[in-house]
Amino acid sequence: MSAIPDINIGLYIDLEIDGVVVTDIQGITGGTVTANVVEFQHYNEPEKRKLVAGKSVDPYEIVCSYVPASASYKALALLAKNSKKVVCELTLKGGADTASGSQVLTFNGFISTKSISTEIEAVRTVTYTLIVDGGITETDGV
């Protein structure tokens, strides 16, 4: 399968954590990759120099509808409870089917927090914070 060939919307995604397909997703944010920059001064040079010392990846926030009877909810609640490190695959699709191309983001991580939100006149949700351990590998197609 090929990479996503054109601009697209965030509606078409699949998320798999530790072999469990996450259902009832309302939104996923995060995963910002940031270079950690070291600044240093040399004698006889007016401007400081900068080097990249390493990179870090921000956590993902996964917001799902609160459906405690679902297999997805039960599996993620258990992962949040035991902080087990797992393999995560986030598939970004170019459209409703894989013929539109896709990108797969793969990384190791663990769920550090689980929070339930119950607002008046809003859908009850559960939010998981997924910590990325190491980097993210991005590959074409599924």
Side-chain angles (χ1 to χ4, degrees):
M1 189 55 53
S2 64
I4 298 172
D6 201 356
I7 59 173
N8 57 82
I9 61 174
L11 179 62
Y12 304 111
I13 61 169
D14 288 329
L15 177 61
E16 190 173 301
I17 300 175
D18 197 29
V20 175
V21 175
V22 179
T23 57
D24 304 313
I25 297 172
Q26 290 189 13
I28 300 175
T29 58
T32 301
V33 179
T34 304
N36 300 316
V37 178
V38 175
E39 197 173 66
F40 60 96
Q41 184 77 47
H42 274 187
Y43 284 105
N44 297 323
E45 289 186 19
E47 293 84 18
K48 292 184 178 184
R49 299 219 23 229
K50 295 169 182 65
L51 294 174
V52 175
K55 294 183 179 180
S56 62
V57 182
D58 290 346
Y60 281 96
E61 294 289 324
I62 303 160
V63 180
C64 299
S65 299
Y66 181 70
V67 187
S70 74
S72 170
Y73 177 89
K74 290 176 184 176
L76 292 177
L78 182 61
L79 289 174
K81 183 178 180 179
N82 67 21
S83 299
K84 176 185 170 191
K85 195 177 295 185
V86 293
V87 175
C88 307
E89 278 192 2
L90 177 59
T91 303
L92 310 172
K93 299 178 188 176
D97 58 21
T98 55
S100 303
S102 62
Q103 295 292 111
V104 180
L105 309 177
T106 305
F107 56 93
N108 294 319
F110 58 93
I111 296 174
S112 66
T113 63
K114 172 188 161 199
S115 140
I116 297 169
S117 175
T118 181
E119 298 177 34
I120 295 175
E121 295 189 25
V123 172
R124 189 170 288 145
T125 61
V126 57
T127 301
Y128 302 97
T129 302
L130 181 58
I131 303 296
V132 178
D133 179 32
I136 298 175
T137 303
E138 186 173 351
T139 57
D140 289 352
V142 290

